[in-house]
Structures are given as structure tokens and as C-alpha cells.
Amino acid sequence: DADVTQTPRNRITKTGKRIMLECSQTKGHDRMYWYRQDPGLGLRLIYYSFDVKDINKGEISDGYSVSRQAQAKFSLSLESAIPNQTALYFCATSDAIAPKGLFFGPGTRLTVL
Amino acid sequence: DQQVKQNSPSLSVQEGRISILNCDYTNSMFDYFLWYKKYPAEGPTFLISISSIKDKNEDGRFTVFLNKSAKHLSLHIVPSQPGDSAVYFCAASPAGTALIFGKGTTLSVSS
């Protein structure tokens, strides 16, 4: 079984709809992250959480919100989706920033029409 | 402003030759640097890392070099194999927060 799972894997939605992307992990890590990948822009941080009571904005948090429901679950919401939020979204976990770095999920491909 | 820069979007190398991927950074407070590899339809996977107190770290065919005075690191893959074809991301760790990634370099290794 995968250590970091993301649901759904693919989603097509319309402008203005509310979307939730879910992430769960079995690695027992305290830290969880949401990144998005766009062609030519690399991986950009949306939100991160170092424990259940800790939520921090990343460099591109506008238009997104998150919820850390438990140590193992971290969800990302788009309150009112817009086309420029079309991207590949990755959840990641870590027990420390270094040296092992992040463990990524398989990604969710989101298309906003 | 980008704190981690990968200025070469792509690199093509023949099988058996050396691949050199470069990364520059601007923040002298970064204390750890990592390389990730990403295949299509998969999440990035950790490849190799280096602490700011070292200038070289080696793991099999992969070696990372750090030049702190130049704020530059590079990943060497020797010998390159077709299975190494992927997107490579450089990342840096500012203390107490999340990793910052570069834009990635797409490596193509031809047989």
C-alpha cells in the first residue's frame, strides 16, 4: 500500500465550484504539505502543517484553504475554483526537513473549465 | 524573487556519458539541499541531499557538489542511463519552514 495517498487522482470541474482534495498518510509523520506543479514553474508551496494544531501559508495560498483533520489527514480546498488553478497538486509528508526530505503522494490532476 | 534557480530547462545526454545538472540559490541561510527526481504521472522522489557543512556527497552513480561561496550546487550522474530520463528538481531547506524548489530540469538520456 502507498504511504501517501491522494484522492481523487483526476478531477475536472467548472469555474466557481468548490473542490476538496484529500491526502492521507501511513508514515506516521507529523509534517504535511501541499504543493502545486505547473509547467515551467516547478513545485510551489501552497500550505503546510507541522502538527495537527499548526497551519502555515506558503507562497501561493490565495484562493486555497486547508484542514488538518488528524495527524494522518490533510485536505486542500478550493472555495471557488478558477481556470488558473488548473494544475497538478501534490501532498507530501516529512518527519523533519532534512536529511530525508519529503515523501510525495502520486498527485491529483485538477482541471478547471 | 526566486530563491532556488535551475536555469537550464532541459538537458540531453548520451547513454554512458556524464549528466551535470546545475542549481543556484540566493539565501545564504539555507542549511540543507536536496535533489528530487520525477517521472510522468508520479510524485517526486528523493534522490540525494547535502548538508551546508559539506561540499560533496556521493551515492552510487549520483554525486552532489556544493560550492557555498558561489551559492551553487550541481548533481552529477555517471554513467547516465536511459532510465535516468526524468525531471530533476533542486530544493533548499530554510530552517523552520518548508522546502523551496527550483523550476526543474528535464533530463533526456538517449541510447
Side-chain angles (χ1 to χ4, degrees), chain A residues 30-65:
Chain A
D30 287 328
R31 301 178 179 196
M32 298 187 74
Y33 312 79
W34 278 102
Y35 285 87
R36 70 178 269 180
Q37 184 190 6
D38 298 274
L41 295 178
L43 291 162
R44 294 182 293 166
L45 181 66
I46 307 173
Y47 271 96
Y48 63 102
S49 169
F50 281 359
D51 64 45
V52 174
K53 296 181 181 179
D54 175 73
I55 300 289
N56 303 282
K57 292 183 177 180
E59 62 180 298
I60 56 164
S61 59
D62 287 348
Y64 302 94
S65 63

PDB file of all heavy atoms in Angstrom, chain A residues 30-65:
ATOM      1  N   ASP A  30       4.615  13.870  11.300  1.00  0.00           N
ATOM      2  CA  ASP A  30       3.859  14.996  11.859  1.00  0.00           C
ATOM      3  C   ASP A  30       3.631  16.091  10.836  1.00  0.00           C
ATOM      4  O   ASP A  30       2.653  16.812  10.897  1.00  0.00           O
ATOM      5  CB  ASP A  30       4.621  15.596  13.043  1.00  0.00           C
ATOM      6  CG  ASP A  30       4.565  14.705  14.264  1.00  0.00           C
ATOM      7  OD1 ASP A  30       3.547  14.015  14.450  1.00  0.00           O
ATOM      8  OD2 ASP A  30       5.536  14.694  15.044  1.00  0.00           O
ATOM      9  N   ARG A  31       4.533  16.220   9.861  1.00  0.00           N
ATOM     10  CA  ARG A  31       4.502  17.353   8.955  1.00  0.00           C
ATOM     11  C   ARG A  31       3.865  16.982   7.626  1.00  0.00           C
ATOM     12  O   ARG A  31       4.190  15.942   7.046  1.00  0.00           O
ATOM     13  CB  ARG A  31       5.913  17.883   8.720  1.00  0.00           C
ATOM     14  CG  ARG A  31       6.607  18.315  10.008  1.00  0.00           C
ATOM     15  CD  ARG A  31       8.006  18.799   9.782  1.00  0.00           C
ATOM     16  NE  ARG A  31       8.614  19.218  11.048  1.00  0.00           N
ATOM     17  CZ  ARG A  31       9.704  19.951  11.148  1.00  0.00           C
ATOM     18  NH1 ARG A  31      10.325  20.352  10.050  1.00  0.00           N
ATOM     19  NH2 ARG A  31      10.192  20.284  12.319  1.00  0.00           N
ATOM     20  N   MET A  32       2.967  17.842   7.138  1.00  0.00           N
ATOM     21  CA  MET A  32       2.311  17.606   5.854  1.00  0.00           C
ATOM     22  C   MET A  32       2.267  18.897   5.058  1.00  0.00           C
ATOM     23  O   MET A  32       2.245  19.997   5.629  1.00  0.00           O
ATOM     24  CB  MET A  32       0.896  17.035   6.059  1.00  0.00           C
ATOM     25  CG  MET A  32       0.909  15.685   6.779  1.00  0.00           C
ATOM     26  SD  MET A  32      -0.691  14.875   6.873  1.00  0.00           S
ATOM     27  CE  MET A  32      -0.919  14.311   5.177  1.00  0.00           C
ATOM     28  N   TYR A  33       2.252  18.747   3.736  1.00  0.00           N
ATOM     29  CA  TYR A  33       2.405  19.887   2.828  1.00  0.00           C
ATOM     30  C   TYR A  33       1.507  19.709   1.612  1.00  0.00           C
ATOM     31  O   TYR A  33       1.220  18.585   1.192  1.00  0.00           O
ATOM     32  CB  TYR A  33       3.856  19.969   2.316  1.00  0.00           C
ATOM     33  CG  TYR A  33       4.921  19.867   3.378  1.00  0.00           C
ATOM     34  CD1 TYR A  33       5.287  18.626   3.903  1.00  0.00           C
ATOM     35  CD2 TYR A  33       5.591  20.994   3.846  1.00  0.00           C
ATOM     36  CE1 TYR A  33       6.275  18.514   4.880  1.00  0.00           C
ATOM     37  CE2 TYR A  33       6.587  20.892   4.817  1.00  0.00           C
ATOM     38  CZ  TYR A  33       6.923  19.654   5.323  1.00  0.00           C
ATOM     39  OH  TYR A  33       7.901  19.549   6.285  1.00  0.00           O
ATOM     40  N   TRP A  34       1.129  20.841   1.015  1.00  0.00           N
ATOM     41  CA  TRP A  34       0.503  20.840  -0.293  1.00  0.00           C
ATOM     42  C   TRP A  34       1.326  21.715  -1.238  1.00  0.00           C
ATOM     43  O   TRP A  34       1.620  22.871  -0.934  1.00  0.00           O
ATOM     44  CB  TRP A  34      -0.932  21.385  -0.244  1.00  0.00           C
ATOM     45  CG  TRP A  34      -1.936  20.378   0.193  1.00  0.00           C
ATOM     46  CD1 TRP A  34      -2.528  20.253   1.411  1.00  0.00           C
ATOM     47  CD2 TRP A  34      -2.495  19.329  -0.615  1.00  0.00           C
ATOM     48  NE1 TRP A  34      -3.401  19.195   1.415  1.00  0.00           N
ATOM     49  CE2 TRP A  34      -3.400  18.617   0.187  1.00  0.00           C
ATOM     50  CE3 TRP A  34      -2.316  18.933  -1.941  1.00  0.00           C
ATOM     51  CZ2 TRP A  34      -4.129  17.522  -0.286  1.00  0.00           C
ATOM     52  CZ3 TRP A  34      -3.029  17.851  -2.413  1.00  0.00           C
ATOM     53  CH2 TRP A  34      -3.932  17.158  -1.590  1.00  0.00           C
ATOM     54  N   TYR A  35       1.698  21.130  -2.385  1.00  0.00           N
ATOM     55  CA  TYR A  35       2.408  21.833  -3.442  1.00  0.00           C
ATOM     56  C   TYR A  35       1.585  21.726  -4.724  1.00  0.00           C
ATOM     57  O   TYR A  35       0.811  20.789  -4.903  1.00  0.00           O
ATOM     58  CB  TYR A  35       3.776  21.188  -3.721  1.00  0.00           C
ATOM     59  CG  TYR A  35       4.840  21.451  -2.691  1.00  0.00           C
ATOM     60  CD1 TYR A  35       4.964  20.641  -1.566  1.00  0.00           C
ATOM     61  CD2 TYR A  35       5.758  22.492  -2.853  1.00  0.00           C
ATOM     62  CE1 TYR A  35       5.971  20.876  -0.627  1.00  0.00           C
ATOM     63  CE2 TYR A  35       6.769  22.733  -1.919  1.00  0.00           C
ATOM     64  CZ  TYR A  35       6.863  21.916  -0.813  1.00  0.00           C
ATOM     65  OH  TYR A  35       7.862  22.142   0.119  1.00  0.00           O
ATOM     66  N   ARG A  36       1.801  22.683  -5.620  1.00  0.00           N
ATOM     67  CA  ARG A  36       1.247  22.536  -6.962  1.00  0.00           C
ATOM     68  C   ARG A  36       2.378  22.637  -7.979  1.00  0.00           C
ATOM     69  O   ARG A  36       3.367  23.344  -7.760  1.00  0.00           O
ATOM     70  CB  ARG A  36       0.140  23.543  -7.270  1.00  0.00           C
ATOM     71  CG  ARG A  36       0.550  24.975  -7.424  1.00  0.00           C
ATOM     72  CD  ARG A  36      -0.639  25.875  -7.774  1.00  0.00           C
ATOM     73  NE  ARG A  36      -0.829  26.009  -9.216  1.00  0.00           N
ATOM     74  CZ  ARG A  36      -1.782  26.740  -9.775  1.00  0.00           C
ATOM     75  NH1 ARG A  36      -2.648  27.400  -9.022  1.00  0.00           N
ATOM     76  NH2 ARG A  36      -1.878  26.816 -11.091  1.00  0.00           N
ATOM     77  N   GLN A  37       2.215  21.894  -9.069  1.00  0.00           N
ATOM     78  CA  GLN A  37       3.189  21.918 -10.143  1.00  0.00           C
ATOM     79  C   GLN A  37       2.530  22.437 -11.405  1.00  0.00           C
ATOM     80  O   GLN A  37       1.479  21.939 -11.816  1.00  0.00           O
ATOM     81  CB  GLN A  37       3.770  20.527 -10.407  1.00  0.00           C
ATOM     82  CG  GLN A  37       4.866  20.538 -11.469  1.00  0.00           C
ATOM     83  CD  GLN A  37       5.282  19.156 -11.928  1.00  0.00           C
ATOM     84  OE1 GLN A  37       4.704  18.139 -11.561  1.00  0.00           O
ATOM     85  NE2 GLN A  37       6.338  19.101 -12.721  1.00  0.00           N
ATOM     86  N   ASP A  38       3.163  23.427 -12.003  1.00  0.00           N
ATOM     87  CA  ASP A  38       2.728  23.963 -13.283  1.00  0.00           C
ATOM     88  C   ASP A  38       3.904  23.874 -14.250  1.00  0.00           C
ATOM     89  O   ASP A  38       5.058  24.059 -13.838  1.00  0.00           O
ATOM     90  CB  ASP A  38       2.313  25.428 -13.138  1.00  0.00           C
ATOM     91  CG  ASP A  38       1.145  25.610 -12.205  1.00  0.00           C
ATOM     92  OD1 ASP A  38       0.008  25.487 -12.692  1.00  0.00           O
ATOM     93  OD2 ASP A  38       1.354  25.838 -11.003  1.00  0.00           O
ATOM     94  N   PRO A  39       3.643  23.622 -15.508  1.00  0.00           N
ATOM     95  CA  PRO A  39       4.739  23.539 -16.497  1.00  0.00           C
ATOM     96  C   PRO A  39       5.618  24.787 -16.467  1.00  0.00           C
ATOM     97  O   PRO A  39       5.125  25.903 -16.537  1.00  0.00           O
ATOM     98  CB  PRO A  39       3.993  23.410 -17.822  1.00  0.00           C
ATOM     99  CG  PRO A  39       2.677  22.826 -17.468  1.00  0.00           C
ATOM    100  CD  PRO A  39       2.330  23.402 -16.122  1.00  0.00           C
ATOM    101  N   GLY A  40       6.922  24.587 -16.332  1.00  0.00           N
ATOM    102  CA  GLY A  40       7.858  25.707 -16.333  1.00  0.00           C
ATOM    103  C   GLY A  40       7.953  26.472 -15.028  1.00  0.00           C
ATOM    104  O   GLY A  40       8.778  27.378 -14.907  1.00  0.00           O
ATOM    105  N   LEU A  41       7.124  26.093 -14.050  1.00  0.00           N
ATOM    106  CA  LEU A  41       7.142  26.825 -12.773  1.00  0.00           C
ATOM    107  C   LEU A  41       7.593  25.967 -11.606  1.00  0.00           C
ATOM    108  O   LEU A  41       7.691  26.456 -10.484  1.00  0.00           O
ATOM    109  CB  LEU A  41       5.761  27.414 -12.476  1.00  0.00           C
ATOM    110  CG  LEU A  41       5.272  28.488 -13.436  1.00  0.00           C
ATOM    111  CD1 LEU A  41       3.874  28.952 -13.042  1.00  0.00           C
ATOM    112  CD2 LEU A  41       6.237  29.671 -13.478  1.00  0.00           C
ATOM    113  N   GLY A  42       7.813  24.715 -11.833  1.00  0.00           N
ATOM    114  CA  GLY A  42       8.293  23.851 -10.764  1.00  0.00           C
ATOM    115  C   GLY A  42       7.233  23.565  -9.725  1.00  0.00           C
ATOM    116  O   GLY A  42       6.032  23.597 -10.000  1.00  0.00           O
ATOM    117  N   LEU A  43       7.680  23.293  -8.514  1.00  0.00           N
ATOM    118  CA  LEU A  43       6.799  22.968  -7.397  1.00  0.00           C
ATOM    119  C   LEU A  43       6.699  24.185  -6.491  1.00  0.00           C
ATOM    120  O   LEU A  43       7.703  24.684  -5.990  1.00  0.00           O
ATOM    121  CB  LEU A  43       7.367  21.785  -6.601  1.00  0.00           C
ATOM    122  CG  LEU A  43       7.339  20.445  -7.322  1.00  0.00           C
ATOM    123  CD1 LEU A  43       8.301  19.473  -6.660  1.00  0.00           C
ATOM    124  CD2 LEU A  43       5.932  19.865  -7.306  1.00  0.00           C
ATOM    125  N   ARG A  44       5.484  24.648  -6.259  1.00  0.00           N
ATOM    126  CA  ARG A  44       5.281  25.814  -5.412  1.00  0.00           C
ATOM    127  C   ARG A  44       4.432  25.442  -4.215  1.00  0.00           C
ATOM    128  O   ARG A  44       3.424  24.748  -4.346  1.00  0.00           O
ATOM    129  CB  ARG A  44       4.649  26.943  -6.218  1.00  0.00           C
ATOM    130  CG  ARG A  44       5.564  27.493  -7.316  1.00  0.00           C
ATOM    131  CD  ARG A  44       4.902  28.655  -8.047  1.00  0.00           C
ATOM    132  NE  ARG A  44       3.738  28.230  -8.808  1.00  0.00           N
ATOM    133  CZ  ARG A  44       2.831  29.068  -9.304  1.00  0.00           C
ATOM    134  NH1 ARG A  44       2.947  30.371  -9.092  1.00  0.00           N
ATOM    135  NH2 ARG A  44       1.812  28.591  -9.993  1.00  0.00           N
ATOM    136  N   LEU A  45       4.818  25.948  -3.056  1.00  0.00           N
ATOM    137  CA  LEU A  45       4.181  25.592  -1.794  1.00  0.00           C
ATOM    138  C   LEU A  45       2.896  26.366  -1.592  1.00  0.00           C
ATOM    139  O   LEU A  45       2.877  27.602  -1.690  1.00  0.00           O
ATOM    140  CB  LEU A  45       5.159  25.868  -0.649  1.00  0.00           C
ATOM    141  CG  LEU A  45       4.700  25.545   0.764  1.00  0.00           C
ATOM    142  CD1 LEU A  45       4.504  24.039   0.933  1.00  0.00           C
ATOM    143  CD2 LEU A  45       5.721  26.064   1.764  1.00  0.00           C
ATOM    144  N   ILE A  46       1.819  25.657  -1.256  1.00  0.00           N
ATOM    145  CA  ILE A  46       0.522  26.286  -1.022  1.00  0.00           C
ATOM    146  C   ILE A  46       0.289  26.478   0.476  1.00  0.00           C
ATOM    147  O   ILE A  46       0.070  27.593   0.943  1.00  0.00           O
ATOM    148  CB  ILE A  46      -0.621  25.447  -1.632  1.00  0.00           C
ATOM    149  CG1 ILE A  46      -0.356  25.146  -3.104  1.00  0.00           C
ATOM    150  CG2 ILE A  46      -1.954  26.186  -1.478  1.00  0.00           C
ATOM    151  CD1 ILE A  46      -1.360  24.172  -3.710  1.00  0.00           C
ATOM    152  N   TYR A  47       0.324  25.382   1.221  1.00  0.00           N
ATOM    153  CA  TYR A  47       0.170  25.393   2.669  1.00  0.00           C
ATOM    154  C   TYR A  47       1.013  24.269   3.261  1.00  0.00           C
ATOM    155  O   TYR A  47       1.292  23.274   2.602  1.00  0.00           O
ATOM    156  CB  TYR A  47      -1.294  25.148   3.074  1.00  0.00           C
ATOM    157  CG  TYR A  47      -2.156  26.372   3.191  1.00  0.00           C
ATOM    158  CD1 TYR A  47      -2.956  26.773   2.117  1.00  0.00           C
ATOM    159  CD2 TYR A  47      -2.210  27.104   4.373  1.00  0.00           C
ATOM    160  CE1 TYR A  47      -3.776  27.893   2.223  1.00  0.00           C
ATOM    161  CE2 TYR A  47      -3.034  28.227   4.483  1.00  0.00           C
ATOM    162  CZ  TYR A  47      -3.816  28.621   3.403  1.00  0.00           C
ATOM    163  OH  TYR A  47      -4.629  29.720   3.507  1.00  0.00           O
ATOM    164  N   TYR A  48       1.339  24.436   4.548  1.00  0.00           N
ATOM    165  CA  TYR A  48       1.995  23.340   5.254  1.00  0.00           C
ATOM    166  C   TYR A  48       1.585  23.343   6.713  1.00  0.00           C
ATOM    167  O   TYR A  48       1.143  24.360   7.259  1.00  0.00           O
ATOM    168  CB  TYR A  48       3.518  23.382   5.082  1.00  0.00           C
ATOM    169  CG  TYR A  48       4.215  24.597   5.643  1.00  0.00           C
ATOM    170  CD1 TYR A  48       4.901  24.530   6.851  1.00  0.00           C
ATOM    171  CD2 TYR A  48       4.235  25.795   4.932  1.00  0.00           C
ATOM    172  CE1 TYR A  48       5.578  25.640   7.343  1.00  0.00           C
ATOM    173  CE2 TYR A  48       4.901  26.900   5.425  1.00  0.00           C
ATOM    174  CZ  TYR A  48       5.586  26.824   6.623  1.00  0.00           C
ATOM    175  OH  TYR A  48       6.248  27.920   7.113  1.00  0.00           O
ATOM    176  N   SER A  49       1.759  22.170   7.318  1.00  0.00           N
ATOM    177  CA  SER A  49       1.325  21.964   8.703  1.00  0.00           C
ATOM    178  C   SER A  49       2.368  21.117   9.415  1.00  0.00           C
ATOM    179  O   SER A  49       2.665  20.011   8.968  1.00  0.00           O
ATOM    180  CB  SER A  49      -0.032  21.264   8.705  1.00  0.00           C
ATOM    181  OG  SER A  49      -0.381  20.827   9.992  1.00  0.00           O
ATOM    182  N   PHE A  50       2.895  21.620  10.517  1.00  0.00           N
ATOM    183  CA  PHE A  50       3.922  20.874  11.246  1.00  0.00           C
ATOM    184  C   PHE A  50       3.325  19.963  12.312  1.00  0.00           C
ATOM    185  O   PHE A  50       4.011  19.078  12.837  1.00  0.00           O
ATOM    186  CB  PHE A  50       4.947  21.814  11.850  1.00  0.00           C
ATOM    187  CG  PHE A  50       5.969  22.312  10.863  1.00  0.00           C
ATOM    188  CD1 PHE A  50       5.948  21.904   9.540  1.00  0.00           C
ATOM    189  CD2 PHE A  50       6.971  23.188  11.266  1.00  0.00           C
ATOM    190  CE1 PHE A  50       6.888  22.354   8.628  1.00  0.00           C
ATOM    191  CE2 PHE A  50       7.925  23.647  10.350  1.00  0.00           C
ATOM    192  CZ  PHE A  50       7.876  23.226   9.037  1.00  0.00           C
ATOM    193  N   ASP A  51       2.086  20.208  12.714  1.00  0.00           N
ATOM    194  CA  ASP A  51       1.346  19.266  13.548  1.00  0.00           C
ATOM    195  C   ASP A  51      -0.134  19.610  13.441  1.00  0.00           C
ATOM    196  O   ASP A  51      -0.500  20.537  12.731  1.00  0.00           O
ATOM    197  CB  ASP A  51       1.845  19.253  15.001  1.00  0.00           C
ATOM    198  CG  ASP A  51       1.636  20.573  15.715  1.00  0.00           C
ATOM    199  OD1 ASP A  51       0.535  21.166  15.595  1.00  0.00           O
ATOM    200  OD2 ASP A  51       2.568  21.018  16.401  1.00  0.00           O
ATOM    201  N   VAL A  52      -0.968  18.883  14.131  1.00  0.00           N
ATOM    202  CA  VAL A  52      -2.414  18.997  13.943  1.00  0.00           C
ATOM    203  C   VAL A  52      -2.923  20.414  14.231  1.00  0.00           C
ATOM    204  O   VAL A  52      -3.852  20.894  13.595  1.00  0.00           O
ATOM    205  CB  VAL A  52      -3.146  17.967  14.837  1.00  0.00           C
ATOM    206  CG1 VAL A  52      -4.652  18.172  14.767  1.00  0.00           C
ATOM    207  CG2 VAL A  52      -2.809  16.561  14.391  1.00  0.00           C
ATOM    208  N   LYS A  53      -2.280  21.114  15.139  1.00  0.00           N
ATOM    209  CA  LYS A  53      -2.758  22.456  15.506  1.00  0.00           C
ATOM    210  C   LYS A  53      -2.025  23.573  14.787  1.00  0.00           C
ATOM    211  O   LYS A  53      -2.196  24.760  15.110  1.00  0.00           O
ATOM    212  CB  LYS A  53      -2.617  22.639  17.020  1.00  0.00           C
ATOM    213  CG  LYS A  53      -3.474  21.688  17.831  1.00  0.00           C
ATOM    214  CD  LYS A  53      -3.304  21.922  19.331  1.00  0.00           C
ATOM    215  CE  LYS A  53      -4.156  20.941  20.130  1.00  0.00           C
ATOM    216  NZ  LYS A  53      -3.986  21.145  21.599  1.00  0.00           N
ATOM    217  N   ASP A  54      -1.194  23.207  13.837  1.00  0.00           N
ATOM    218  CA  ASP A  54      -0.337  24.187  13.169  1.00  0.00           C
ATOM    219  C   ASP A  54      -0.662  24.242  11.680  1.00  0.00           C
ATOM    220  O   ASP A  54      -0.637  23.231  10.990  1.00  0.00           O
ATOM    221  CB  ASP A  54       1.129  23.787  13.373  1.00  0.00           C
ATOM    222  CG  ASP A  54       2.084  24.695  12.616  1.00  0.00           C
ATOM    223  OD1 ASP A  54       2.249  25.846  13.044  1.00  0.00           O
ATOM    224  OD2 ASP A  54       2.650  24.250  11.593  1.00  0.00           O
ATOM    225  N   ILE A  55      -0.997  25.439  11.176  1.00  0.00           N
ATOM    226  CA  ILE A  55      -1.257  25.644   9.754  1.00  0.00           C
ATOM    227  C   ILE A  55      -0.478  26.880   9.328  1.00  0.00           C
ATOM    228  O   ILE A  55      -0.556  27.924   9.994  1.00  0.00           O
ATOM    229  CB  ILE A  55      -2.759  25.870   9.462  1.00  0.00           C
ATOM    230  CG1 ILE A  55      -3.589  24.664   9.905  1.00  0.00           C
ATOM    231  CG2 ILE A  55      -2.977  26.186   7.982  1.00  0.00           C
ATOM    232  CD1 ILE A  55      -3.403  23.419   9.056  1.00  0.00           C
ATOM    233  N   ASN A  56       0.221  26.778   8.192  1.00  0.00           N
ATOM    234  CA  ASN A  56       1.015  27.900   7.710  1.00  0.00           C
ATOM    235  C   ASN A  56       0.793  28.117   6.227  1.00  0.00           C
ATOM    236  O   ASN A  56       0.712  27.147   5.460  1.00  0.00           O
ATOM    237  CB  ASN A  56       2.510  27.635   7.943  1.00  0.00           C
ATOM    238  CG  ASN A  56       2.824  27.359   9.387  1.00  0.00           C
ATOM    239  OD1 ASN A  56       2.898  28.263  10.201  1.00  0.00           O
ATOM    240  ND2 ASN A  56       3.002  26.094   9.727  1.00  0.00           N
ATOM    241  N   LYS A  57       0.742  29.382   5.829  1.00  0.00           N
ATOM    242  CA  LYS A  57       0.609  29.688   4.409  1.00  0.00           C
ATOM    243  C   LYS A  57       1.956  29.537   3.705  1.00  0.00           C
ATOM    244  O   LYS A  57       2.997  29.872   4.267  1.00  0.00           O
ATOM    245  CB  LYS A  57       0.107  31.118   4.227  1.00  0.00           C
ATOM    246  CG  LYS A  57      -1.325  31.342   4.697  1.00  0.00           C
ATOM    247  CD  LYS A  57      -1.760  32.775   4.417  1.00  0.00           C
ATOM    248  CE  LYS A  57      -3.212  32.968   4.820  1.00  0.00           C
ATOM    249  NZ  LYS A  57      -3.669  34.367   4.550  1.00  0.00           N
ATOM    250  N   GLY A  58       1.863  29.075   2.450  1.00  0.00           N
ATOM    251  CA  GLY A  58       3.036  29.042   1.605  1.00  0.00           C
ATOM    252  C   GLY A  58       3.059  30.244   0.684  1.00  0.00           C
ATOM    253  O   GLY A  58       2.379  31.241   0.923  1.00  0.00           O
ATOM    254  N   GLU A  59       3.828  30.122  -0.390  1.00  0.00           N
ATOM    255  CA  GLU A  59       3.997  31.275  -1.271  1.00  0.00           C
ATOM    256  C   GLU A  59       2.782  31.576  -2.147  1.00  0.00           C
ATOM    257  O   GLU A  59       2.644  32.686  -2.645  1.00  0.00           O
ATOM    258  CB  GLU A  59       5.235  31.074  -2.160  1.00  0.00           C
ATOM    259  CG  GLU A  59       5.150  29.872  -3.074  1.00  0.00           C
ATOM    260  CD  GLU A  59       6.385  29.704  -3.928  1.00  0.00           C
ATOM    261  OE1 GLU A  59       6.688  30.604  -4.731  1.00  0.00           O
ATOM    262  OE2 GLU A  59       7.035  28.645  -3.804  1.00  0.00           O
ATOM    263  N   ILE A  60       1.867  30.603  -2.341  1.00  0.00           N
ATOM    264  CA  ILE A  60       0.729  30.819  -3.225  1.00  0.00           C
ATOM    265  C   ILE A  60      -0.567  30.358  -2.581  1.00  0.00           C
ATOM    266  O   ILE A  60      -1.353  29.631  -3.162  1.00  0.00           O
ATOM    267  CB  ILE A  60       0.935  30.129  -4.592  1.00  0.00           C
ATOM    268  CG1 ILE A  60       1.213  28.628  -4.417  1.00  0.00           C
ATOM    269  CG2 ILE A  60       2.040  30.781  -5.398  1.00  0.00           C
ATOM    270  CD1 ILE A  60       1.041  27.835  -5.695  1.00  0.00           C
ATOM    271  N   SER A  61      -0.872  30.817  -1.373  1.00  0.00           N
ATOM    272  CA  SER A  61      -2.032  30.339  -0.630  1.00  0.00           C
ATOM    273  C   SER A  61      -3.349  31.009  -1.036  1.00  0.00           C
ATOM    274  O   SER A  61      -4.424  30.501  -0.702  1.00  0.00           O
ATOM    275  CB  SER A  61      -1.795  30.542   0.864  1.00  0.00           C
ATOM    276  OG  SER A  61      -1.584  31.915   1.132  1.00  0.00           O
ATOM    277  N   ASP A  62      -3.289  32.121  -1.740  1.00  0.00           N
ATOM    278  CA  ASP A  62      -4.533  32.816  -2.099  1.00  0.00           C
ATOM    279  C   ASP A  62      -5.438  31.917  -2.939  1.00  0.00           C
ATOM    280  O   ASP A  62      -5.010  31.320  -3.919  1.00  0.00           O
ATOM    281  CB  ASP A  62      -4.221  34.095  -2.892  1.00  0.00           C
ATOM    282  CG  ASP A  62      -3.639  35.184  -2.013  1.00  0.00           C
ATOM    283  OD1 ASP A  62      -3.697  35.031  -0.769  1.00  0.00           O
ATOM    284  OD2 ASP A  62      -3.135  36.181  -2.557  1.00  0.00           O
ATOM    285  N   GLY A  63      -6.731  31.855  -2.538  1.00  0.00           N
ATOM    286  CA  GLY A  63      -7.682  31.036  -3.276  1.00  0.00           C
ATOM    287  C   GLY A  63      -7.795  29.615  -2.758  1.00  0.00           C
ATOM    288  O   GLY A  63      -8.612  28.838  -3.262  1.00  0.00           O
ATOM    289  N   TYR A  64      -6.966  29.272  -1.755  1.00  0.00           N
ATOM    290  CA  TYR A  64      -6.955  27.938  -1.171  1.00  0.00           C
ATOM    291  C   TYR A  64      -7.167  28.006   0.338  1.00  0.00           C
ATOM    292  O   TYR A  64      -6.863  29.016   0.957  1.00  0.00           O
ATOM    293  CB  TYR A  64      -5.618  27.244  -1.427  1.00  0.00           C
ATOM    294  CG  TYR A  64      -5.226  27.090  -2.876  1.00  0.00           C
ATOM    295  CD1 TYR A  64      -4.410  28.040  -3.498  1.00  0.00           C
ATOM    296  CD2 TYR A  64      -5.644  25.992  -3.615  1.00  0.00           C
ATOM    297  CE1 TYR A  64      -4.039  27.897  -4.824  1.00  0.00           C
ATOM    298  CE2 TYR A  64      -5.265  25.838  -4.946  1.00  0.00           C
ATOM    299  CZ  TYR A  64      -4.463  26.802  -5.537  1.00  0.00           C
ATOM    300  OH  TYR A  64      -4.097  26.655  -6.856  1.00  0.00           O
ATOM    301  N   SER A  65      -7.668  26.918   0.895  1.00  0.00           N
ATOM    302  CA  SER A  65      -7.701  26.750   2.340  1.00  0.00           C
ATOM    303  C   SER A  65      -7.373  25.290   2.637  1.00  0.00           C
ATOM    304  O   SER A  65      -7.444  24.432   1.748  1.00  0.00           O
ATOM    305  CB  SER A  65      -9.059  27.130   2.925  1.00  0.00           C
ATOM    306  OG  SER A  65     -10.080  26.278   2.416  1.00  0.00           O
TER     307      SER A  65
END
